[in-house]
Amino acid sequence: MFHRPAVPPLRSSRLATAAVVLGLLGSLTTSAWAGPHQPSPQRPARVPVTAVGSSAGTATPLSGYAIQSSAKVADSAAVVSSAGYPTSGWYPAGARSTVLAALIADGVHPDPFHSTDQRKIPKADFQVPWWYRSDFTVADTAKRTHLDFSGVISAADVYLNGTRIATAADVNGAYTQHELDVTSLVRAGTNTVAFRIRPNDPDKNLTMGWIDWLQPPPDQNMGIVRDVLVRRGGPVALRDAHVVTRLAVPSLASADLTVKARARNDSGTPVTAKVRGSVAGTTFEKTVSLAAHRTKPVTFAVHLTHPKVWWPAGMGGRPLYALDLTASVAGTPSDTAHRTFGIRDVRAPLNSAGDRHYLVNGRSVLIKGGGWSPDEFLRWDRTYVEDRLRYALDLGLNTIRLEGHIEPDEFFDLADRYGILTLPGWECCDKWEGQVNGDETGDTWTAADYPVAKASMAAEAARLRDHPSVVSFLIGSDFAPDAKIEKTYLDALEAADWNTPVVAAASDNSAPVSGSSGMKMTGPYDWVPPGYWYAKREGGATGFNSETSAGPDIPTLDTLRRMMTPAELATLWKDPAAKQYHRSPSSTFATLKIYDNALAGRYGPPTSLTDYVRKAQLAQYENVRAQFEAYERNATDASKPATGVVYWMFNSGWTSLHWQLTDRYLDQGGAYFGAKKANEPLHIQYSYDDRSVVVVNNRNAPARRLTARATLFDTDGTRRYDKKVPGVEVSGGGAHSTALTLPAPSSVPGLSTTYLVRLTLTDASGKEVSRNVYWLSGRPDTLDWAHTDWYHTPTTSYADLKGLGSMPQVPVSAAVSTAAGPHGTSTTVTVRNTGEGKAPSLLTDVHLVDSAGRPVLPVRWSDNDVSLWPGESATLAATYRTADLHGSVPRVRVSGWNTPERTFAAR
């Protein structure tokens, strides 16, 4: 994830996500994962038997497993993998489940996301192999049968009906894909497949690890985290079906499609197969003669005029096409294949500054992304994942970066549908970069690792290539591969017809063939002031920063109380030097000292937990907003423009105190709404470096006849400066226009040291289309650039924002109405500053809650954390699932920096 000193701490990098687990779990947003019971030693694990059909092209996932530690199983592998073997005392596991995920679901261990409860789980339990056992039924054996799977962590011996069909030397690596012909072993009736899963060590295996994101799970995610499919078909199998698209750019008037597949004769005699297919209304067919056990490529060419082009969200539609293929022998279907794909063109050249610059369908795209984390135990919950992706769109982000932990197919299906670009790649700081990362963790490679790496790359390329949301693969993270490793990856990518840019690394590195990465990984990863982002150096707004943020993101008080004990919460706000279990296992990020010192130095020492969280939300709002605003403003600069920024991170895989725009339970605080404000489609913003007021237009069409207004206030609401600028125009597609420049605070008579800036943008009708409020100081933060390290730039003196503490309390009323709709419930809230003085209500937050005062989550607000001057009002709309009210009447809790908390019921 980032460069470190010669003797580095556990590195923070990010692994992004791979596939995962557990259909038995309910929503991951609940406070506990499972019930309190532990299975009786006499009770067999209740795992459904999978019924497998016989139709050509059937691919049936195993429905689940019974699992047990090998230390508790004395029987031989042949016995364990035979039908009828008793599983008393074994544990049920979902179709995609790590060992620990299954044990948590079965109540063996308490919620590991609370306090330090995860420390109570003994690591020794997972230092021996575990058995995964599943039964499936086949009505007849006339069809051929294959087991098809990936996602084994870290390796496994595989057995079917008492016979070993693969060894751990072959089934090795989380991403390698395996297809085993088991036709001769399958019998009518019940069949048993068993995996003897070996323990995982990310430093020794090409699997998955957590670096410094969170406290790593005691089982290191050992298990099976993707579907194991039972495939049935005739003598000829269709494999590797995909579509290579070539779009005419810039006209977009036509596209050439090359449909490819492999026809494989699995029988011992020659056959002739007819392969028929259709795509985009065009049908085609070809006859293929195949010798016994031979494979031939099958290719079709299709030309489209006026294709339906796939665009990222906000740039156009997201149509998808379908490919259908059928192979028949003697008129009988033998196998089928179906793929969904999009037509789009992605290029990412290096600009004149050497920075990578993405273009989609010929149009420039400023990458605005977030680093993705899966659930710590790799539990897959489609609804929970979809909720987070919808949050990303709500924030105005267009990209998700996955460093390792590359999610299952459904994730990319959702990204295709929502128009979210994805940047998958291998992870840093473990075995994946052990050959090239100097003295960081991760074993150097042996001869046995290269085929595993190539098979991993081949499998992921084949899986991801048809998804229009996938716009690159990062073959390195903190370090670029050496010549031998790069060739290993590139050969696999070429063989898979990979047709989007291959990036050498997420850091400023080069590889012998793919060349310069065009990216930077200069941090920061810990607190820096908002003005930091405007400098065109280090992590500032120039080039493509693949991972960066001001570090800690303290969640809301609701979430903190769910994840920590009262004693831990007291330490949180009272002791900056205390090690925080919910921050990171890294010694660099073990405490909140840098962050807490800045919070106290700028806003004043916290006086309570509530005060600490209140100040944290204000600080996170201003910092996240500044990060995205700086990159937005600099995106169209003639010199050293900003081309991409990935917030580190978008979310956390557990209950965390850092690197997250939204917390584990999908609650939203200052960081979330700061990002949402910065990325609004038409936006007025302040520049910390030169005091310019800039309008950024992320819409496609230009905006004209706008009026920008800037007003400066003392913290008590006294107006000290006011200026309107009519006739502001700005082109579309991310362009910006400077409306005015604010005077230096020292030149504004009577302006207090801490002051407020209100910016508004109105259209030709006088309607307000953007509002932005800043709290600034006549004494700015001072950065010590000379002592910049890999994770931050020190601050030698802080901006004086303590004047905010003297702002008078301002009451805010709320009128609430709720209506049910076809896609959920909508609650509309009109908040109004009813104060009699001059002071605004700063950062007024509205939380949707149930009758017990608990947040209703997930929820998407049209706007939030608003600042209102006396008499002003704002109407905010919240959309959410009706079921998430749990039968309660919706209420809203209103609070703010200087607004007393009050709860209002819906009318």
Side-chain angles (χ1 to χ4, degrees), residues 474-832:
L474 279 65
I475 55 175
S477 179
D478 291 29
F479 299 88
D482 62 21
K484 184 176 181 180
I485 298 175
E486 183 186 28
K487 186 176 188 305
T488 298
Y489 291 147
L490 294 181
D491 286 351
L493 287 163
E494 183 180 9
D497 292 323
W498 188 262
N499 67 345
T500 57
V502 177
V503 180
S507 58
D508 183 10
N509 274 301
S510 298
V513 178
S514 53
S516 171
S517 70
M519 294 189 174
K520 66 179 183 179
M521 191 185 286
T522 48
Y525 300 96
D526 213 325
W527 191 87
V528 291
Y532 171 96
W533 303 105
Y534 284 83
K536 288 195 173 184
R537 56 181 297 175
E538 277 77 32
T542 181
F544 194 121
N545 198 337
S546 67
E547 53 184 54
T548 188
S549 75
D553 286 300
I554 305 300
T556 63
L557 195 55
D558 295 294
T559 291
L560 286 171
R561 286 173 171 156
R562 292 178 73 173
M563 62 186 264
M564 301 171 76
T565 66
E568 290 166 342
L569 291 174
T571 300
L572 176 65
W573 73 270
K574 291 180 179 179
D575 188 358
K579 289 185 177 180
Q580 295 292 340
Y581 186 70
H582 285 267
R583 185 152 192 220
S584 172
S586 164
S587 59
T588 301
F589 304 115
T591 76
L592 291 164
K593 187 174 182 179
I594 295 172
Y595 176 88
D596 286 352
N597 287 347
L599 206 65
R602 300 174 90 237
Y603 292 104
T607 58
S608 65
L609 175 63
T610 300
D611 185 53
Y612 176 79
V613 175
R614 179 180 73 126
K615 288 173 176 171
Q617 302 314 314
L618 201 69
Q620 289 157 196
Y621 185 101
E622 64 165 342
N623 214 313
V624 174
R625 174 179 61 181
Q627 177 177 333
F628 282 107
E629 285 182 339
Y631 274 83
E632 288 265 21
R633 190 200 68 176
N634 291 357
T636 52
D637 285 359
S639 174
K640 298 178 67 176
T643 60
V645 60
V646 176
Y647 188 88
W648 201 250
M649 298 177 67
F650 173 71
N651 68 297
S652 177
W654 81 325
T655 43
S656 180
L657 296 172
H658 75 165
W659 298 341
Q660 57 189 355
L661 292 175
T662 178
D663 68 35
R664 177 61 205 172
Y665 303 113
L666 302 183
D667 206 353
Q668 306 147 321
Y672 186 97
F673 291 114
K676 182 176 173 69
K677 174 56 63 177
N679 293 316
E680 61 185 357
L682 185 60
H683 179 63
I684 189 168
Q685 64 185 59
Y686 168 81
S687 305
Y688 281 82
D689 58 342
D690 60 10
R691 301 189 307 279
S692 61
V693 174
V694 171
V695 178
V696 177
N697 183 13
N698 283 307
R699 297 169 175 171
N700 291 331
R704 300 184 176 89
R705 299 174 63 193
L706 302 172
T707 298
R709 182 179 182 182
T711 313
L712 276 58
F713 300 87
D714 291 342
T715 54
D716 66 358
T718 300
R719 183 183 301 176
R720 298 294 185 182
Y721 172 90
D722 190 36
K723 185 172 183 179
K724 278 187 178 182
V725 178
V728 176
E729 297 187 359
V730 58
S731 301
H736 74 267
S737 176
T738 300
L740 69 147
T741 299
L742 295 180
S746 59
S747 69
V748 179
L751 188 66
S752 56
T753 300
T754 304
Y755 62 99
L756 304 175
V757 176
R758 183 182 67 195
L759 305 179
T760 60
L761 188 69
T762 52
D763 64 15
S765 69
K767 178 185 176 182
E768 186 174 283
V769 292
S770 178
R771 165 183 287 231
N772 214 345
V773 175
Y774 297 80
W775 39 102
L776 302 174
S777 172
R779 293 199 289 272
D781 301 286
T782 304
L783 286 156
D784 182 7
W785 292 104
H787 289 92
T788 296
D789 53 34
W790 66 269
Y791 62 94
H792 87 311
T793 297
T795 303
T796 55
S797 63
Y798 298 112
D800 184 0
L801 298 172
K802 298 180 182 67
L804 295 176
S806 63
M807 290 182 69
Q809 293 286 288
V810 174
V812 173
S813 65
V816 186
S817 61
T818 294
H823 304 294
T825 298
S826 176
T827 292
T828 302
V829 184
T830 299
V831 288
R832 182 180 300 275

Side-chain angles (χ1 to χ4, degrees), residues 389-409:
L389 290 177
R390 294 174 78 181
Y391 268 17
L393 288 182
D394 185 51
L395 291 177
L397 304 183
N398 57 23
T399 304
I400 289 296
R401 180 181 168 212
L402 302 98
E403 183 194 358
H405 282 113
I406 305 173
E407 292 278 25
D409 295 340

